[in-house]
Amino acid sequence: MSDSAPTLEDVARVAGVSRATVSRVINGIRNVDTEIQKVVRRAIEETGYAPNRAARSLVTRRTGAVALVVSGAGEPAEHVFGDPFFGRVVAGVVAVLRRHGSHPLLMLADTADARADVLAHLRQGGADGALLVSTLAEDPLPGMCVRAGVPAVLFARPNPPVPISYVDVAHRAGAALAADHLRARGCERLGTISGPLDVPASRERLDGFRDALRGHGPVPNEPGNFTHASGETAMARLLAAHPDLDGVFAANDLMAQGALGVLHREGRRVPDDVALVGFDDSSPARSCRPALTTVRQPVEDMGAELARLLLAHIDEPARPSVSVVFDPTLVVRESA
Amino acid sequence: MSDSAPTLEDVARVAGVSRATVSRVINGIRNVDTEIQKVVRRAIEETGYAPNRAARSLVTRRTGAVALVVSGAGEPAEHVFGDPFFGRVVAGVVAVLRRHGSHPLLMLADTADARADVLAHLRQGGADGALLVSTLAEDPLPGMCVRAGVPAVLFARPNPPVPISYVDVAHRAGAALAADHLRARGCERLGTISGPLDVPASRERLDGFRDALRGHGPVPNEPGNFTHASGETAMARLLAAHPDLDGVFAANDLMAQGALGVLHREGRRVPDDVALVGFDDSSPARSCRPALTTVRQPVEDMGAELARLLLAHIDEPARPSVSVVFDPTLVVRESA
DNA sequence: ATGCTACGGGAGAGCGCTCTCCGACTGGCC
DNA sequence: GGCCAGTCGGAGAGCGCTCTCCCGTAGCAT
């Protein structure tokens, strides 16, 4: 045994067979005598052999890694990674990938340079494909991937529309769920705290809410940016402009939580004076007081589907792109 | 140009030089005539060349990837990934790695099989080293890495002690900060909600708290397991056994948040009747009502140091292992 | 003019693996 | 007994890159 790691050659010598046979045993095992298989396996054991991934990738053109790209504006990285929502996506992704022997390679695409790096990495075969999770209103990365012929799948519909597979939730239907619930519990004067209006998902949640309420008068909205703080300011503004509000729909739980704090400070009881519905069913929703009634996205399942789609596209590059839209459900807790 | 991706050879042909020269230009550029460099760069541009990472790794024995291993018991993956604490570690790690052109490869080591897979991956050169973040009381993985000669760095002190570098926070000092603060604001009857007592960090926080209070009578403790729910039950028990409690130290913010809910329900005002101090300074601490006074760990910095240490160990395998311990600080908010 | 160093650039040997041939051997059937 | 099909295993050609030699040329001192 030499000083460096054992190679196929070493194992073959110990087993008294050829390199090819050892390779056959390790991989698909097309047709190798069981007796020889045993001998080879013993030799592998004995030498402590571990196949070299780089050498294998060189010929198979597969790495067993997929890029998990977080595409966002220049916001601090901890924001994205610290977001439990993203964590749930990751959990779903990992659950599928690990069964397949793959792992996600975490990458940040927060600047044009970073995007170029990500694309270069992909083109260099650093990963077999990419999962793109974007917080950007308009993201050029999906288009770049398509043009470069890199298999990629998006979380959320691509904004500059490109022929690429994606998973999403039915935003309008989810918002309608919230609207119906608020109406059903007797709320008359509703308001909303939306996300940034240039983000399609925000837009759809707002439109879905308003559509469901068509014929019941205008619904005032204050846009936030999905953060706790923006929920607070939005709620304060909404309350200032419409003191008689009795129901609020926030486009995510974090903003709802912020709104909750403001309502409390202003002496409004929730849900008695003002009913509040969030979106996401993230962990804050559960730990809030009062616990948040919210529209649940099956985020883990969506993450899992994201991974499944990518693996399919990697396996079969010519596969037509599809969109998979999940239906949200209403989780009724205390706030509405 | 052939149908497949251009190779060094193609670029060399276009530039009218040898493969080696193109390689030189792309990498260290040891000594190549500037004129020729220009020609080569133009050829690279022209061919749209992207170096093949696998081929490069094969000879350099470097992948530019680092395993980020989440080592935990069989708990659901979403728990770990969804934990903002982990997200902050990742943010720190990524900040350093990206400057170095590396990326973290996310791996789960929640079972013995998974641990074996992780180790195999590392031994196969799937990553240049490993960052181990463990929630386990006793984790065999660090030892496995050391034995296999895989560069690895831990977040938190290794429990079966092994010669390996790690970063950690001064738990005892942090707990003492909490104790001193509670004493200073006049609390007399203190209690604690610790983490699992077989986890070294929990132990140290508890011991540190008690040590700082030595001579002021015994400090009752109810152990939890770092979850919201366990904080609730622990607080309820503590209150049942010691109704006259006027100060509580919880070993993390999540449990503190749970405790807060129970105190509220029991009609105790915080901080007037019972003062409460948490640990971590996680986002729940900020969004709680009342906002949590807590011991802040500089988690992002710790994550960054984690990555820096690993890169150093990869560069210089013989480098002696070290431990880097960060000092926590007290963040005073409303709860104490 | 000769030798020596210095440096730019090419040739070519691998890195460790997979996979396509192709040869050898076996057994069943005419 | 001969032939063909079928099965098993070996030889060897790459995959695309890096890096060590080595040669050629130029610059300088002898």
Side-chain angles (χ1 to χ4, degrees):
Chain A
M1 200 181 292
S2 79
D3 52 344
S4 63
T7 72
L8 257 199
E9 191 71 51
D10 298 325
V11 178
R13 200 176 320 116
V14 170
V17 297
S18 77
R19 232 172 37 242
T21 303
V22 180
S23 179
R24 285 191 193 100
V25 171
I26 291 173
N27 305 323
I29 315 178
R30 220 178 17 199
N31 39 11
V32 178
D33 188 280
T34 36
E35 210 41 54
I36 293 195
Q37 283 194 35
K38 270 185 212 156
V39 174
V40 170
R41 286 191 201 291
R42 194 163 324 127
I44 291 175
E45 199 81 22
E46 198 174 314
T47 52
Y49 172 72
N52 181 310
R53 266 182 120 87
R56 183 178 290 189
S57 299
L58 185 56
V59 33
T60 60
R61 271 127 208 299
R62 284 290 163 78
T63 66
V66 304
L68 175 49
V69 185
V70 183
S71 190
E75 41 191 323
E78 66 219 62
H79 252 218
V80 191
F81 295 131
D83 191 342
F85 185 86
F86 178 67
R88 289 169 61 197
V89 176
V90 173
V93 166
V94 168
V96 170
L97 289 186
R98 68 185 318 193
R99 244 175 280 147
H100 188 262
S102 300
H103 303 275
L105 202 55
L106 226 48
M107 308 215 222
L108 226 47
D110 49 359
T111 63
D113 275 356
R115 270 191 291 277
D117 283 350
V118 168
L119 197 71
H121 199 276
L122 254 10
R123 296 211 320 132
Q124 295 171 5
D128 300 333
L131 301 168
L132 308 178
V133 182
S134 181
T135 63
L136 231 48
E138 296 211 2
D139 194 343
L141 198 51
M144 293 163 72
C145 287
V146 170
R147 246 167 288 132
V150 172
V153 180
L154 299 200
F155 193 95
R157 176 148 50 85
N159 186 357
V162 280
I164 197 169
S165 287
Y166 68 89
V167 308
D168 208 340
V169 73
H171 299 283
R172 307 180 70 98
L177 245 34
D180 293 346
H181 181 71
L182 287 170
R183 288 281 309 160
R185 77 188 320 280
C187 297
E188 295 286 342
R189 293 165 303 282
L190 299 171
T192 60
I193 299 175
S194 74
L197 295 178
D198 54 350
V199 174
S202 309
R203 196 79 247 176
E204 289 185 36
R205 288 179 195 176
L206 178 57
D207 291 349
F209 192 83
R210 282 179 167 157
D211 281 2
L213 252 33
R214 192 177 301 287
H216 294 278
V219 177
N221 174 56
E222 277 293 336
N225 65 357
F226 289 133
T227 64
H228 187 93
S230 77
E232 293 181 329
T233 50
M235 189 68 244
R237 286 215 191 113
L238 219 46
L239 226 41
H242 310 272
D244 60 343
L245 224 55
D246 64 358
V248 173
F249 168 54
N252 81 341
D253 289 340
L254 227 47
M255 293 196 295
Q257 202 181 23
L260 204 57
V262 171
L263 288 170
H264 215 81
R265 235 166 287 149
E266 298 287 325
R268 314 291 181 110
R269 288 168 307 161
V270 175
D272 308 285
D273 299 335
V274 180
L276 181 62
V277 178
F279 206 110
D280 282 352
D281 192 25
S282 55
S283 58
R286 239 158 304 173
S287 58
C288 256
R289 239 161 338 105
L292 234 47
T293 288
T294 186
V295 178
R296 165 165 247 276
Q297 303 194 52
V299 181
E300 287 86 355
D301 302 279
M302 292 167 74
E305 184 61 27
L306 195 67
R308 248 180 308 237
L309 278 176
L310 181 60
L311 293 176
H313 277 292
I314 290 171
D315 246 31
E316 194 191 338
R319 182 178 240 267
S321 55
V322 298
S323 63
V324 179
V325 178
F326 284 74
D327 283 324
T329 50
L330 189 74
V331 179
V332 180
R333 295 212 178 83
E334 303 161 10
S335 74
Chain B
M1 201 180 294
S2 78
D3 52 344
S4 64
T7 73
L8 256 199
E9 190 71 52
D10 298 325
V11 179
R13 199 176 320 117
V14 171
V17 298
S18 78
R19 233 172 37 242
T21 302
V22 181
S23 180
R24 285 193 193 97
V25 172
I26 291 173
N27 305 323
I29 316 178
R30 220 179 15 199
N31 38 12
V32 178
D33 188 281
T34 36
E35 209 39 55
I36 294 196
Q37 283 194 35
K38 267 186 212 153
V39 174
V40 170
R41 287 191 200 291
R42 195 164 321 129
I44 290 175
E45 199 81 22
E46 198 175 314
T47 52
Y49 171 72
N52 181 310
R53 264 181 123 87
R56 183 178 289 187
S57 298
L58 184 56
V59 32
T60 60
R61 270 122 209 303
R62 285 290 164 77
T63 66
V66 166
L68 175 48
V69 185
V70 184
S71 190
E75 40 191 323
E78 66 219 61
H79 251 219
V80 191
F81 295 131
D83 191 342
F85 186 86
F86 178 68
R88 287 170 61 197
V89 177
V90 173
V93 166
V94 168
V96 170
L97 288 186
R98 70 185 316 193
R99 246 174 279 148
H100 188 262
S102 299
H103 303 274
L105 203 55
L106 227 47
M107 308 217 223
L108 226 47
D110 49 358
T111 63
D113 275 357
R115 270 190 292 275
D117 283 349
V118 168
L119 197 71
H121 199 276
L122 255 8
R123 296 212 319 133
Q124 294 171 5
D128 300 333
L131 300 168
L132 307 178
V133 181
S134 180
T135 63
L136 231 47
E138 297 211 2
D139 194 342
L141 199 51
M144 293 163 71
C145 287
V146 170
R147 245 169 288 131
V150 172
V153 180
L154 299 200
F155 193 95
R157 177 148 50 86
N159 187 358
V162 280
I164 197 169
S165 287
Y166 67 88
V167 308
D168 209 341
V169 72
H171 299 284
R172 307 181 69 98
L177 245 35
D180 293 346
H181 181 71
L182 288 170
R183 288 281 310 160
R185 76 189 319 281
C187 297
E188 294 287 342
R189 294 166 301 282
L190 299 170
T192 60
I193 299 174
S194 75
L197 294 179
D198 55 349
V199 174
S202 308
R203 195 80 247 174
E204 290 185 36
R205 289 180 194 177
L206 178 57
D207 292 348
F209 192 81
R210 283 180 167 156
D211 281 2
L213 252 33
R214 193 176 298 286
H216 294 278
V219 177
N221 176 56
E222 277 293 335
N225 65 358
F226 288 134
T227 63
H228 186 93
S230 77
E232 293 181 329
T233 51
M235 188 68 243
R237 286 213 191 115
L238 219 46
L239 227 40
H242 310 273
D244 59 344
L245 225 55
D246 64 358
V248 173
F249 168 54
N252 81 340
D253 290 338
L254 227 48
M255 293 196 296
Q257 202 181 22
L260 204 59
V262 171
L263 287 169
H264 215 81
R265 237 165 285 149
E266 297 287 324
R268 314 290 180 112
R269 288 168 307 160
V270 176
D272 308 283
D273 299 336
V274 180
L276 181 64
V277 177
F279 206 109
D280 282 353
D281 191 25
S282 55
S283 57
R286 237 158 306 173
S287 57
C288 257
R289 244 164 331 107
L292 233 46
T293 289
T294 186
V295 178
R296 163 166 251 275
Q297 305 194 53
V299 180
E300 287 87 355
D301 302 276
M302 292 168 72
E305 184 60 28
L306 195 69
R308 241 173 271 136
L309 277 177
L310 181 60
L311 292 177
H313 277 292
I314 290 172
D315 246 31
E316 193 192 337
R319 183 177 238 267
S321 56
V322 299
S323 63
V324 179
V325 178
F326 285 74
D327 283 323
T329 50
L330 188 74
V331 179
V332 179
R333 296 212 178 83
E334 303 160 10
S335 75

